Amino acid sequence: MEERDFFDERPETRNHLMTCPHCGQQAEYQLNWLVRRKKAQLGRGADERDRARFAKAQSYMVRRDDLVGCKNIRCRKRFDVAGIQSVAFL
């Protein structure tokens, strides 16, 4: 079985407070995340290795956005999303 068989996936947006490194203005930005929640039970056709991997699996989120555009009208430069983890466990 693949890892995707252990989780239910769905996209989600969350708000994060970030500061533009170019102009220094702080604003709230929406970042896209892929949320993978562990299923309640393992499907059929799983062997012992799959059951052991499923027992260790945890729900987690993966950040999909790497760049955001500054909300300051005068700046509007794109910058990297730094300081926010790319993978976060729930």
Side-chain angles (χ1 to χ4, degrees):
M1 296 183 87
E2 293 184 25
E3 181 183 353
R4 281 192 242 152
D5 297 333
F6 300 156
F7 299 100
D8 292 323
E9 294 182 0
R10 71 185 173 102
E12 189 174 298
T13 58
R14 294 199 178 195
N15 295 329
H16 297 279
L17 194 61
M18 293 185 282
T19 304
C20 175
H22 305 288
C23 66
Q25 182 174 349
Q26 192 173 22
E28 194 168 286
Y29 296 90
Q30 286 189 344
L31 295 179
N32 293 316
W33 293 83
L34 181 66
V35 179
R36 290 186 175 149
R37 297 198 187 275
K38 184 177 173 182
K39 290 185 178 180
Q41 59 184 344
L42 190 59
R44 295 183 180 196
D47 60 0
E48 291 300 320
R49 284 187 314 181
D50 294 333
R51 285 197 247 319
R53 284 178 42 211
F54 183 74
K56 293 180 185 178
Q58 294 184 38
S59 298
Y60 65 97
M61 303 186 317
V62 178
R63 189 183 74 222
R64 299 175 91 186
D65 293 335
D66 291 333
L67 295 172
V68 292
C70 182
K71 290 189 176 181
N72 184 352
I73 295 172
R74 294 185 192 113
C75 180
R76 292 286 188 203
K77 292 183 181 174
R78 294 177 62 82
F79 61 93
D80 285 333
V81 177
I84 298 176
Q85 296 178 336
S86 59
V87 176
F89 289 101
L90 300 176

